[in-house]
Amino acid sequence: MFVLLILCGLSFSVFAQTATLTAPWLLVYDAEGRPRWEIRMEKLVRTKDGWEGEKVSVTLFFQGEPSIFVEAEKLSADPLGRRWSLKEEVSGQGHGFSFTAKEASWTEHLVLLEFSAQREDLTVFAEEAHWELNGLLELFSATASSAQWSLCFSYGQYKDGTLFAQEVEAEGFGLKIQAEYLEFSPDEGRAKFRGVKVVRSS
């Protein structure tokens, strides 16, 4: 169940929840009454297809706590605010990463196109990324680099400081490796490969 508040300087009460705000704002709650995401913007316009906004900031929540923050120049959303997309200068932070993307959208998770992200021990780029509010980051057609390794892989998952990847090409420590599977902990500099073929060593 979703509860949507569309607030423009008014006070609303929906299912015994009340909020008073002074700027365009969309707020969605989960079934337990906790915020799932909030969208603030400088300008909000109703259209025949839903909503359009400008100068947008989005906060995504996991179990009621802020999880991912995104900013963009443009927003479009369906009439109930359950699905939305962000375009133009998309950037943000989440789970230790700062990131940029060509486009971001929400259905049941955050989808980012041409996703580029950095944290202290890892840089990643993916043609497409899916980000769950609990921190699970899925990477499609991706590359990653750390102080120890440069990686290229068809599919990967990152969570809790570990990258798991499939169909990997890796370079590091004078080696060029092809592997079926990789488990990589960049902060520890530890890489575990399975189904390994060493292409080159120096």
Side-chain angles (χ1 to χ4, degrees):
M1 180 186 75
F2 290 91
V3 179
L4 170 67
L5 298 183
I6 301 170
L7 305 171
C8 299
L10 299 175
S11 177
F12 284 70
S13 180
V14 179
F15 294 94
Q17 299 179 51
T18 303
T20 302
L21 298 163
T22 56
W25 190 26
L26 280 73
L27 176 59
V28 173
Y29 293 97
D30 65 15
E32 287 74 37
R34 300 170 301 194
R36 192 165 189 191
W37 66 78
E38 66 175 28
I39 303 176
R40 295 174 181 259
M41 62 210 85
E42 291 185 6
K43 182 179 179 181
L44 177 64
V45 177
R46 186 75 167 91
T47 70
K48 63 181 180 65
D49 298 317
W51 303 90
E52 292 184 356
E54 297 179 2
K55 303 289 185 182
V56 184
S57 64
V58 178
T59 303
L60 301 170
F61 296 83
F62 177 64
Q63 296 181 345
E65 296 297 323
S67 174
I68 302 170
F69 177 75
V70 192
E71 293 183 317
E73 287 295 308
K74 302 287 185 181
L75 170 140
S76 59
D78 72 352
L80 294 179
R82 295 182 182 180
R83 295 181 301 276
W84 44 261
S85 62
L86 305 174
K87 296 181 179 179
E88 297 185 22
E89 301 182 26
V90 179
S91 63
Q93 302 87 38
H95 301 285
F97 284 99
S98 59
F99 65 88
T100 61
K102 180 180 180 181
E103 182 177 337
S105 61
W106 175 269
T107 50
E108 293 302 317
H109 48 248
L110 186 63
V111 177
L112 302 123
L113 303 181
E114 296 185 18
F115 173 73
S116 179
Q118 304 81 35
R119 53 180 296 154
E120 184 177 353
D121 53 9
L122 186 67
T123 299
V124 298
F125 174 83
E127 291 185 11
E128 184 171 326
H130 297 179
W131 215 340
E132 302 285 349
L133 298 183
N134 64 6
L136 175 63
L137 177 61
E138 292 185 284
L139 304 164
F140 300 85
S141 300
T143 61
S145 62
S146 71
Q148 300 86 16
W149 293 96
S150 295
L151 310 168
C152 180
F153 48 92
S154 60
Y155 173 77
Q157 293 185 349
Y158 181 90
K159 189 177 182 184
D160 298 330
T162 302
L163 174 67
F164 305 91
Q166 301 173 0
E167 299 178 21
V168 182
E169 293 183 1
E171 290 191 55
F173 300 100
L175 300 173
K176 185 174 182 181
I177 295 171
Q178 293 178 348
E180 295 176 0
Y181 182 81
L182 165 69
E183 181 179 329
F184 179 48
S185 300
D187 60 337
E188 300 176 5
R190 186 183 74 246
K192 296 181 180 179
F193 297 91
R194 297 179 190 170
V196 175
K197 177 183 177 182
V198 178
V199 179
R200 186 190 74 237
S201 62
S202 58

